[in-house]
Amino acid sequence: MVDTLGALAHRGGLLVQRPELSVGVVQAVSRTSGLTIELLARQPLDRRDAVERQRDIRAGQRSQPAPRRLLPDFDEGEGLRVGWLDRPDHAQWVFSTRGESSSGDHYEGTDGPSTRAQFELPPTFDEVDLVLAWPEIGFAETVTRLSLPDRATVAGATVSVWQAPVNTTPVPRSANQRTADMRDERPHIEAGSIVAQPRVLHRGRDAVVVLTRLTEIDSLLSLELVSIARNSLVSWPDPGATLAVLAGDDVVELSSGNGESTGGNGRFHGRCEFVVERPATNVLDLLVAWTSAKLWDVQAQIQLE
């Protein structure tokens, strides 16, 4: 659960782009308790139809596995493995703490299978040698050095969401309120660039709304909001906070896309993503509310970096 803000550790973007697999950073946050990194890996779309696929299976055509150097000869993984070098030629491997996968589109579509997963590394400062491997599909072990914030920067940014600064203003009156059209876009967020630091958007005594990620992908912005409540203020399956964008005289309500929520022991945690057109200026005007948690509409201005 995101109860603590941290320092933006990476601006996102692709780390590896090969014919068999691409891997990019969705988000990475450094805290004094550890480094959280979320990756999204995509395999190419299989253009074979069912007849061609069965024919190749009967012929025994398979990808040649990549050699193992840092991975043990046998391990429990079946997909993308992630770790870090703790010393030359030795890797520490970690299991994902959260993940989801997609089988991809029909062979005439656009996107192939994908895996999105979050990993927790120990407290790490200045730089880390991240290790990626997926030998079963022929993806060779790859070491990528990432620059990270220093210890002092991370310590200064590690603050409870219940105590972090909040800068909001009352919602201006608007004559036009509408709901944004549902979007067919599925932006490749791992290929974009993060343009804002994590921050608290709205807070009451027992509820808080946090902007955990704001990513620019071409002409679009992808946002991730986390809604947290305590003391049994709300319960699952509450949808969490709602989001709108102030565009001139219009208040445009956004529909949430990918997300999840959990609850229990008096606590609620919800995560949802939104996609919106990038504004012409470098300021995104958000209207944030969570009425079931007694958080009424406020305006939060996000300066795009």
Side-chain angles (χ1 to χ4, degrees), residues 97-135:
T97 56
R98 189 185 79 209
E100 59 188 56
S101 61
S102 169
S103 59
D105 295 336
H106 184 267
Y107 73 96
E108 293 180 338
T110 302
D111 291 325
S114 63
T115 300
R116 180 174 173 179
Q118 180 176 287
F119 302 88
E120 303 288 341
L121 278 62
T124 311
F125 311 102
D126 302 317
E127 64 183 24
V128 64
D129 288 324
L130 194 70
V131 190
L132 309 172
W134 195 339

Side-chain angles (χ1 to χ4, degrees), residues 36-244:
T36 301
I37 185 165
E38 185 177 2
L39 301 175
L40 200 155
R42 295 184 190 271
Q43 297 175 255
L45 180 64
D46 190 345
R47 294 292 183 184
R48 299 173 299 173
D49 61 25
V51 174
E52 293 170 322
R53 190 176 294 110
Q54 288 299 318
R55 181 192 62 202
D56 292 343
I57 291 174
R58 289 193 296 269
Q61 295 184 11
R62 298 179 59 189
S63 299
Q64 290 296 318
R68 293 168 177 253
R69 183 176 62 87
L70 297 169
L71 276 170
D73 292 338
F74 302 97
D75 67 326
E76 298 178 2
E78 295 180 351
L80 178 69
R81 272 66 129 211
V82 175
W84 79 97
L85 291 183
D86 60 347
R87 58 182 185 272
D89 297 324
H90 186 270
Q92 294 281 355
W93 301 95
V94 291
F95 291 104
S96 64
T97 56
R98 189 185 79 209
E100 59 188 56
S101 61
S102 169
S103 59
D105 295 336
H106 184 267
Y107 73 96
E108 293 180 338
T110 302
D111 291 325
S114 63
T115 300
R116 180 174 173 179
Q118 180 176 287
F119 302 88
E120 303 288 341
L121 278 62
T124 311
F125 311 102
D126 302 317
E127 64 183 24
V128 64
D129 288 324
L130 194 70
V131 190
L132 309 172
W134 195 339
E136 292 81 3
I137 64 169
F139 180 75
E141 297 169 349
T142 300
V143 179
T144 302
R145 178 163 293 179
L146 303 182
S147 296
L148 301 176
D150 59 28
R151 187 185 296 270
T153 300
V154 173
T158 301
V159 57
S160 168
V161 297
W162 302 103
Q163 299 173 344
V166 183
N167 185 16
T168 61
T169 58
V171 176
R173 294 183 178 275
S174 175
N176 305 312
Q177 188 160 345
R178 58 186 174 88
T179 301
D181 296 334
M182 292 295 293
R183 293 182 172 276
D184 294 329
E185 295 103 328
R186 292 178 296 175
H188 287 197
I189 54 178
E190 80 283 4
S193 178
I194 295 176
V195 292
Q197 298 283 337
R199 59 177 286 181
V200 173
L201 295 181
H202 203 351
R203 187 173 60 223
R205 188 183 68 178
D206 291 315
V208 63
V209 181
V210 183
L211 175 69
T212 53
R213 178 181 56 77
L214 178 57
T215 304
E216 181 178 5
I217 317 100
D218 298 324
S219 63
L220 300 176
L221 294 174
S222 170
L223 305 90
E224 181 183 86
L225 288 191
V226 167
S227 306
I228 303 171
R230 60 188 181 184
N231 295 333
S232 301
L233 182 63
V234 299
S235 58
W236 186 87
D238 188 283
T242 59
L243 192 65

Side-chain angles (χ1 to χ4, degrees), residues 201 223 225 241-245 252-255 274 286-289:
L201 295 181
L223 305 90
L225 288 191
T242 59
L243 192 65
V245 174
V252 184
E253 297 180 2
L254 302 182
S255 299
F274 302 84
L286 297 177
L287 304 184
V288 187

